[in-house]
């Protein structure tokens, strides 16, 4: 059973920054991929960024390229999402996820992941 715990959400004004962290525990590493997804009210859950733990390869949604950076944290199986130049459209609940299988064909698609954190709210005001 994978347990994912997010931290670091909050409220900022347009142009501000936030840093999200996700720590994974309690599993034999089933997947090489971890990612960040978000869901705003009335919208489907969308992929924001993903990372291959073994290679460090990263993947970003077009809407966040150049503003968000996903990386591995200092502890094993910890990932970080640095969010800069935040916009009101970034307002959502952000979820950390671990992949369904070792290899993930399309890392930004939610159905490729089956372990999810509880989510953390990010609010960007204009």
């Amino acid at each position: 059973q994978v347990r994912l715990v997010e931290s670091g959400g909050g409220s900022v004004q347009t142009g501000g920054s936030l840093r999200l962290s996700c720590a994974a525990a309690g599993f034999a590493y089933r997947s090489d991929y971890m990612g960040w997804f978000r869901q705003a009210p009335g919208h489907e859950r969308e992929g924001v960024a993903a990372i291959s733990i073994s290679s460090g390869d990263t993947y970003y949604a077009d809407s966040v390229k150049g503003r968000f950076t996903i990386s591995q944290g200092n502890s094993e199986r910890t990932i970080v999402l640095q969010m800069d130049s935040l916009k009101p459209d970034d307002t959502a609940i952000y979820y950390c996820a671990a992949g369904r299988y070792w290899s993930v064909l399309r890392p930004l698609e939610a159905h490729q992941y089956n372990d999810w954190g509880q989510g953390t709210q990010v609010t960007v005001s204009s």
Side-chain angles (χ1 to χ4, degrees):
Q1 179 79 30
V2 177
R3 189 167 66 92
L4 302 170
V5 179
E6 304 107 334
S7 61
S11 298
V12 294
Q13 293 187 326
T14 297
S17 297
L18 285 172
R19 185 179 175 90
L20 306 182
S21 294
C22 172
F27 70 111
Y29 303 145
R30 180 175 56 239
S31 179
D32 186 41
Y33 285 79
M34 294 181 69
W36 288 98
F37 293 76
R38 67 187 181 187
Q39 188 165 18
H43 290 77
E44 293 185 357
R45 190 168 297 190
E46 63 171 345
V48 174
I51 187 167
S52 161
I53 301 300
S54 63
S55 70
D57 289 345
T58 57
Y59 308 83
Y60 296 96
D62 288 343
S63 59
V64 306
K65 280 180 182 176
R67 300 188 299 121
F68 290 11
T69 303
I70 188 171
S71 61
Q72 297 186 54
N74 293 329
S75 302
E76 192 175 19
R77 285 287 164 161
T78 297
I79 61 171
V80 173
L81 185 68
Q82 177 67 39
M83 304 185 293
D84 298 317
S85 302
L86 282 161
K87 306 174 182 179
D89 284 350
D90 295 318
T91 296
I93 299 175
Y94 283 69
Y95 298 90
C96 176
R100 185 180 301 273
Y101 303 109
W102 181 257
S103 181
V104 172
L105 188 59
R106 286 176 285 275
L108 295 180
E109 292 186 357
H111 71 88
Q112 305 271 358
Y113 296 77
N114 67 339
D115 293 295
W116 298 85
Q118 79 284 0
T120 185
Q121 178 70 46
V122 171
T123 303
V124 185
S125 58
S126 58

